[in-house]
Amino acid sequence: MEGFSTWHMLIKKELLQSYRNKTVLISAIVIWLLFIATTICTFLNYHVNNKQRQAANALFRQQWEHQQRNPHDAAHFGTYLFKPVHLLNVFDSGINDYTGNTYRVEAHIQHEISNSEAENSDTAMRFGNLSFALILQLFVPLFLLFITSNSITGEKEHGTLKMLLAQGLSSRKLIWAKVWANYLLIIVIILPIFIIMAIALLFSGDMDLLFCRFLWILLTCLVYYLLVALLGTIISAVSNQSGKALLSALCFWIFMSIIFPKLITGIANRSYPLMSRAVFSDLVEQGYRKGLNGKDPYAARGVRYINNLLKKYQVNRIEDLPFDIDGMTLQFNEDYRTMAFNHYFKEVENSFNQQQHFLSLSGIFDPFLSAKRLSMALAGSDFYHHEQFFKQAQAYRNDLIRKLNMQLAVHGKDVKGEYVVGPRYFGQLKDFSYQLPPLSRILQLEKIAIISLTGWILLLILLLQFIASRSLALNYAAV
């Protein structure tokens, strides 16, 4: 009980001291003003974007259902698919602002995702958007490093350290009291924003789908802040002057949060370069026209396909086939174009995956990078979720085009003139529905980030315990 009372007294003293410190108070107020501004802007943008997507989906669905045309012409008319936005995307927009949110469904053409927010906003392109994740991952750790790096050096400079040690207080208790007091201070500052997010999730309709991800995001922030508190306290313990400690903490923050991520991203881009969009499109077109082996041209493939159909159905004329040959050949060419697209896209996908794996491994050396990647993954705004949307949209597109071509093939032969279908047929075609990957899959993919954060915590705890047990900087200052 006496030990607990001592801990309670020390932590209470640190919290009161932080409360009376005008610099700490002003910094906390600035952080909360940023939170308030971000909340207002972000939720307004979320409401507007969500409303625009719903209106666009309703418009395209109405246009689609009220068609009166040939099924293949309808495939050319196509439609648009939109990447859904949920509240966790609002928390951490990740790469969503730069990778696009719209997928065009059209016959004969495999589109990429386009229409990013950054394309339509010069501010977003230059500076990025202010988000909860930006504040929580950059500004709050900077504030935490600022107060922890001064926690022990301040005691040294004011002469109170000698007095505390002379009264029999162990250096270990003092160091850990500093850690937990500053850590609790940060929790008090950030907890209301997570409570607001939890309430927003409760009324969003996605509670069952997103709440576990939200809890993991909260846990990631808490673990990362503990890591920063440990780091700042270590810097303070081994420093003799507050100025040097603050400068060291600032250098750590700049390196971890800005320099190292930029450096590693540049190395990843150079080590695993991507082919340009023009080269990729040309390869797909040439693969379709000349064959993937370069010796199977478009016309020859078509003739061979028709001859195989005649042989299969044991007829001599195209007119004797039990289906409309136009629909079948259209789908055959569509399948081959899709095969050519997927063939060359594997090379692009492989480069992307190599880059992502390199960045994940790099997070072992930078806990900020691990925390950022884990946050993006849990929020559904990382490259993996972008890739999943593209694959699901492409699968929907391929299935829809196939249905339209086969409708023409099966029913077009028995109709004189052009075969036309109307709203009754188009209305029964299903809408696109994006399915979020399961949380277990996300955690498996980001296991390196989880191991990295856990490893850094354990390493810093051991280092802090070593400093406390040896009383390195403390005893030196107390002599």
Side-chain angles (χ1 to χ4, degrees):
M1 289 296 293
E2 183 179 353
F4 177 78
S5 177
T6 303
W7 278 99
H8 181 267
M9 179 189 68
L10 288 172
I11 293 175
K12 182 178 180 181
K13 167 186 168 295
E14 293 298 325
L15 290 174
L16 286 174
Q17 187 174 343
S18 297
Y19 176 74
R20 293 167 181 167
N21 189 323
K22 291 184 178 180
T23 304
V24 173
L25 185 60
I26 292 173
S27 299
I29 291 173
V30 169
I31 289 175
W32 255 103
L33 289 175
L34 286 174
F35 274 136
I36 293 172
T38 303
T39 300
I40 295 173
C41 296
T42 301
F43 279 99
L44 285 176
N45 288 337
Y46 169 75
H47 177 71
V48 171
N49 291 337
N50 201 36
K51 190 174 181 180
Q52 288 176 345
R53 278 177 170 81
Q54 291 178 356
N57 279 324
L59 174 63
F60 289 128
R61 183 66 188 183
Q62 183 183 29
Q63 291 176 343
W64 181 260
E65 289 184 353
H66 289 80
Q67 293 182 97
Q68 190 80 30
R69 64 181 72 196
N70 179 279
H72 189 69
D73 291 342
H76 278 286
F77 177 73
T79 188
Y80 288 89
L81 309 180
F82 298 97
K83 183 187 295 185
V85 177
H86 53 72
L87 278 176
L88 293 187
N89 294 154
V90 169
F91 172 84
D92 190 342
S93 58
I95 65 173
N96 283 353
D97 292 335
Y98 308 95
T99 53
N101 51 43
T102 306
Y103 181 81
R104 174 83 165 102
V105 174
E106 186 180 2
H108 305 310
I109 302 176
Q110 289 275 1
H111 288 280
E112 300 175 52
I113 301 175
S114 59
N115 193 31
S116 68
E117 296 291 337
E119 289 177 340
N120 303 318
S121 174
D122 182 67
T123 303
M125 178 64 78
R126 290 173 180 267
F127 307 108
N129 290 323
L130 184 64
S131 66
F132 296 115
L134 181 66
I135 299 173
L136 291 169
Q137 293 167 8
L138 284 180
F139 300 142
V140 173
L142 178 61
F143 171 66
L144 183 55
L145 278 174
F146 170 74
I147 59 177
T148 53
S149 64
N150 189 47
S151 58
I152 297 176
T153 52
E155 300 281 5
K156 296 176 185 178
E157 292 175 340
H158 290 94
T160 55
L161 180 59
K162 295 180 181 180
M163 181 179 65
L164 290 172
L165 293 177
Q167 292 176 351
L169 180 66
S170 68
S171 58
R172 180 176 299 177
K173 283 186 178 181
L174 178 61
I175 286 177
W176 282 104
K178 298 287 186 179
V179 171
W180 293 119
N182 291 318
Y183 184 60
L184 288 174
L185 175 64
I186 286 299
I187 291 178
V188 170
I189 292 175
I190 69 163
L191 194 57
I193 195 64
F194 281 97
I195 293 175
I196 293 173
M197 285 292 296
I199 294 173
L201 276 176
L202 183 64
F203 291 98
S204 69
D206 296 325
M207 185 72 169
D208 296 337
L209 187 63
L210 301 178
F211 191 69
C212 287
R213 289 172 173 249
F214 169 76
L215 292 179
W216 270 94
I217 290 176
L218 173 59
L219 179 61
T220 300
C221 286
L222 294 178
V223 169
Y224 184 57
Y225 293 153
L226 177 58
L227 188 153
V228 174
L230 290 169
L231 177 61
T233 306
I234 289 172
I235 293 173
S236 185
V238 298
S239 300
N240 294 322
Q241 297 179 4
S242 296
K244 291 182 179 180
L246 183 58
L247 180 61
S248 299
L250 183 61
C251 289
F252 268 104
W253 178 82
I254 293 174
F255 180 77
M256 288 193 310
S257 304
I258 301 174
I259 296 177
F260 188 81
K262 293 289 186 183
L263 179 65
I264 289 300
T265 302
I267 294 174
N269 289 333
R270 288 192 297 271
S271 301
Y272 309 103
L274 300 172
M275 70 172 70
S276 68
R277 180 172 297 183
V279 171
F280 174 76
S281 299
D282 183 66
L283 286 174
V284 172
E285 187 63 27
Q286 293 302 317
Y288 173 70
R289 294 293 177 185
K290 299 179 181 180
L292 293 177
N293 59 5
K295 300 177 181 179
D296 191 15
Y298 164 81
R301 287 199 312 270
V303 172
R304 186 170 65 250
Y305 175 68
I306 292 175
N307 289 335
N308 288 338
L309 288 176
L310 294 173
K311 183 178 180 180
K312 178 180 178 179
Y313 288 94
Q314 299 180 355
V315 295
N316 297 321
R317 299 186 310 158
I318 292 176
E319 292 80 3
D320 296 330
L321 290 170
F323 44 73
D324 189 309
I325 191 61
D326 289 339
M328 296 296 290
T329 53
L330 285 169
Q331 185 56 44
F332 170 74
N333 291 326
E334 187 68 46
D335 288 340
Y336 199 91
R337 184 180 287 275
T338 299
M339 183 172 63
F341 181 91
N342 292 336
H343 175 79
Y344 293 108
F345 185 73
K346 283 183 180 179
E347 181 178 345
V348 178
E349 185 179 29
N350 183 56
S351 296
F352 272 124
N353 290 336
Q354 287 177 319
Q355 288 182 358
Q356 294 302 309
H357 184 65
F358 179 78
L359 293 174
S360 294
L361 291 177
S362 300
I364 295 175
F365 306 99
D366 185 355
F368 168 80
L369 192 57
S370 293
K372 176 62 178 174
R373 289 183 60 81
L374 185 56
S375 172
M376 289 167 53
L378 293 168
S381 58
D382 63 341
F383 176 76
Y384 176 72
H385 284 80
H386 174 75
E387 183 183 43
Q388 288 301 303
F389 170 73
F390 171 72
K391 288 183 175 180
Q392 292 183 33
Q394 185 190 41
Y396 175 85
R397 177 255 176 210
N398 294 341
D399 182 65
L400 178 62
I401 300 301
R402 176 180 291 277
K403 285 180 178 178
L404 294 171
N405 285 333
M406 296 311 295
Q407 179 73 13
L408 175 62
V410 173
H411 301 285
K413 183 177 177 63
D414 301 328
V415 176
K416 293 182 179 180
E418 184 181 21
Y419 176 60
V420 175
V421 292
R424 183 176 179 182
Y425 172 75
F426 292 117
Q428 54 88 29
L429 295 175
K430 294 182 179 180
D431 286 331
F432 171 70
S433 178
Y434 172 66
Q435 300 296 321
L436 273 176
L439 177 60
S440 58
R441 176 60 176 163
I442 303 305
L443 296 178
Q444 180 184 4
L445 290 172
E446 295 300 328
K447 60 185 178 183
I448 295 178
I450 297 173
I451 293 172
S452 170
L453 291 174
T454 306
W456 272 95
I457 289 286
L458 295 176
L459 178 64
L460 293 178
I461 288 176
L462 291 175
L463 181 58
L464 196 59
Q465 283 288 89
F466 174 76
I467 293 173
S469 63
R470 296 290 297 272
S471 300
L472 290 179
L474 300 180
N475 290 340
Y476 174 80
V479 173

